[in-house]
Amino acid sequence: MDAFIGKKISIEIEYLYDPTIVMDQFPNEKIVGKNGDWTHFKFESQHTPGLKCWLLSQGEAVKILSPQSLVDDIRKKMKEILGYYQ
């Protein structure tokens, strides 16, 4: 499995911490707004294991808004991880 080749997708997230963290990771990002301390981003990336690992590594600092398929993938992975500790 290649961690860097995947279907190109459009992604929307909200990010809690320093926005430059997202800007460094996704140079094609666009800031579309602020919601309190959260910064709303849109960008394109490839749907890869590497993308999912990065998003999961951000913990409570990221909310994935779209696409729904990515939200579902992350939700499934988080449930799997939580199961390790029950």
Side-chain angles (χ1 to χ4, degrees):
M1 168 171 48
D2 189 327
F4 302 104
I5 296 178
K7 179 182 172 188
K8 187 174 269 193
I9 58 174
S10 295
I11 301 167
E12 285 190 57
I13 65 169
E14 286 189 340
Y15 197 75
L16 181 59
Y17 299 142
D18 184 350
T20 59
I21 294 170
V22 175
M23 296 161 80
D24 288 345
Q25 186 70 26
F26 303 99
N28 66 342
E29 55 68 37
K30 293 180 184 168
I31 296 176
V32 292
K34 292 280 283 178
N35 181 11
D37 293 334
W38 294 86
T39 304
H40 186 152
F41 289 95
K42 285 186 181 182
F43 55 91
E44 287 191 347
S45 185
Q46 292 172 310
H47 193 261
T48 63
L51 170 66
K52 290 185 262 186
C53 285
W54 186 85
L55 291 166
L56 287 165
S57 76
Q58 300 308 299
E60 75 283 355
V62 68
K63 294 182 206 175
I64 304 161
L65 306 175
S66 70
Q68 188 61 46
S69 60
L70 181 59
V71 172
D72 294 343
D73 285 351
I74 294 295
R75 181 180 290 127
K76 179 180 175 185
K77 183 57 72 178
M78 291 174 77
K79 286 180 181 178
E80 181 182 319
I81 294 166
L82 184 59
Y84 300 161
Y85 300 98
Q86 295 188 11

